[in-house]
Amino acid sequence: MPAVTVENPLTLPRLPQPLNAARERQVLAITTAPSGFEGEGFPVRKALATIKSQYLDPFIMMDQMGEVDYAPGEPKGTPWHPHRGFETVTYMIDGVMDHADSHGGGGTISDGDTQWMTAGGGILHKEAPPEWLVQKGGLFHGIQLWVNLPGSEKMVAPKYQDIGRTNVVLLSSHDGGALVRLIAGEVGEFTGPGSTRTPITLLHASLSPGSQLTLPWRKDFNALAYVLSGRGTVGGDRQPIESGQLAVFDGFGSLPGLGTDGETITLSAAGTQESRSPNLEVIVLGGRPIGEPVAHYGPFVMNTQAELAKAFEDYQAGRLGTIPAGHS
């Protein structure tokens, strides 16, 4: 699992040791992600599929794509398709993915790069491995996250962000046992490079065997932790968790009697890991809930059924964009 790594995390800026007055969030539930297929047939684990929407807001879905080692001719992507009303985030851990869209955005990501697309009022896009990778085959592993937009911003102009691996903010736990890649949002005094319309935090943490990571966390954010690989524990009550499982942490918002120095999320790696997964690898995300009705069907995320119907009507009428010349 390459992503972005460093030989010695202690050379990086360090997250502070937690204060005694900080409230350590507990775990409400741990669920196992169901498996399925998306696009032209690449395997996914649907990390958020079994969680009630009130615990996910502002997130709609998150898929772990792979991890799969394709033979020559096997790599798959997604054909051209529309979106409206939210943002898609593709974080590539292993392998290579090309992006193209009807608003002029596009690029290639690999090994720790992120593509952030604001669909807004409507866009067509396509994600697929480059032709040379289709012919050669190889390892493919990544995450796609859908972030909702509030009703007032669902029709904003589309936007594309290419967040290269060299721009990701790299942090260390206070003792160097964990590496944190901050893609977007805030962790303590540090801010990731991703520009988000909905306030969220998104990061990828690697914990060495036996290490512990305590993250300062905003009181007004929910909190989710999804294990890409490895095993360990989560939360103040140290609940066991392993590859393909999601932890939902308890409530958000300022609560009386819990101190004034913020809140924290704790992750711990088991002392021994599998040889194929030497570290505990975790995606941690959270955001400020939007608190609006969600009407979600296929590639559109709106507030009402009437808005969904209008999105399909606009797509069929060609009002969500056209495929750029030279693309198929």
Side-chain angles (χ1 to χ4, degrees):
M1 186 173 295
V4 184
T5 59
V6 296
E7 288 189 8
N8 181 8
L10 287 175
T11 62
L12 302 172
R14 301 191 204 182
L15 292 166
Q17 288 185 277
L19 300 173
N20 290 333
R23 173 183 180 261
E24 190 171 15
R25 291 203 184 187
Q26 307 298 305
V27 174
L28 286 177
I30 293 179
T31 65
T32 300
S35 299
F37 294 90
E38 292 288 343
E40 295 174 335
F42 57 81
V44 300
R45 300 196 74 168
K46 306 190 79 63
L48 309 184
T50 61
I51 306 300
K52 293 181 179 179
S53 59
Q54 67 258 39
Y55 300 113
L56 300 181
D57 188 4
F59 306 108
I60 302 298
M61 55 149 271
M62 185 172 74
D63 287 349
Q64 180 181 7
M65 306 179 294
E67 183 176 3
V68 59
D69 195 357
Y70 282 121
E74 286 187 342
K76 310 287 185 185
T78 61
W80 284 95
H81 59 282
H83 285 308
R84 173 179 280 181
F86 65 103
E87 300 183 290
T88 69
V89 182
T90 303
Y91 171 53
M92 204 68 193
I93 300 169
D94 282 300
V96 184
M97 180 76 82
D98 285 341
H99 170 101
D101 66 50
S102 57
H103 195 66
T108 299
I109 56 172
S110 66
D111 299 348
D113 297 331
T114 300
Q115 288 173 335
W116 199 296
M117 186 185 78
T118 304
I123 199 168
L124 306 180
H125 85 135
K126 175 182 180 180
E127 291 179 309
E131 184 59 33
W132 64 263
L133 181 61
V134 174
Q135 296 177 7
K136 179 182 177 182
L139 197 61
F140 180 87
H141 189 199
I143 289 289
Q144 183 161 103
L145 173 70
W146 289 13
V147 185
N148 200 8
L149 289 170
S152 61
E153 299 196 27
K154 285 191 176 295
M155 299 299 288
V156 297
K159 178 183 176 182
Y160 175 81
Q161 299 176 67
D162 185 357
I163 306 171
R165 67 182 77 90
T166 58
N167 295 322
V168 171
V169 174
L170 300 179
L171 306 169
S172 168
S173 57
H174 72 276
D175 60 0
L179 168 65
V180 173
R181 307 162 187 86
L182 181 56
I183 299 169
E186 304 167 0
V187 173
E189 63 184 69
F190 304 101
T191 303
S195 173
T196 70
R197 300 194 73 93
T198 302
I200 72 165
T201 292
L202 174 65
L203 63 89
H204 172 195
S206 297
L207 285 73
S208 58
S211 67
Q212 180 172 293
L213 173 63
T214 299
L215 297 165
W217 209 251
R218 284 180 49 164
K219 288 184 177 183
D220 58 339
F221 277 20
N222 61 0
L224 308 164
Y226 177 73
V227 177
L228 297 168
S229 65
R231 58 191 182 89
T233 63
V234 287
D237 43 359
R238 307 298 186 263
Q239 293 198 33
I241 195 169
E242 61 183 22
S243 177
Q245 292 187 319
L246 174 83
V248 181
F249 290 86
D250 66 4
F252 42 88
S254 299
L255 300 175
L258 296 177
T260 59
D261 292 309
E263 297 183 340
T264 62
I265 294 171
T266 299
L267 313 170
S268 300
T272 58
Q273 302 284 338
E274 296 179 7
S275 58
R276 61 180 292 274
S277 304
N279 298 318
L280 175 64
E281 305 282 349
V282 187
I283 296 289
V284 183
L285 65 159
R288 190 170 65 204
I290 296 172
E292 296 176 354
V294 174
H296 171 207
Y297 188 82
F300 305 125
V301 182
M302 306 304 291
N303 291 116
T304 68
Q305 293 298 315
E307 291 170 344
L308 275 183
K310 183 66 165 62
F312 277 101
E313 176 187 321
D314 287 348
Y315 169 55
Q316 292 165 354
R319 290 191 284 268
L320 268 62
T322 58
I323 297 174
H327 292 269
S328 59

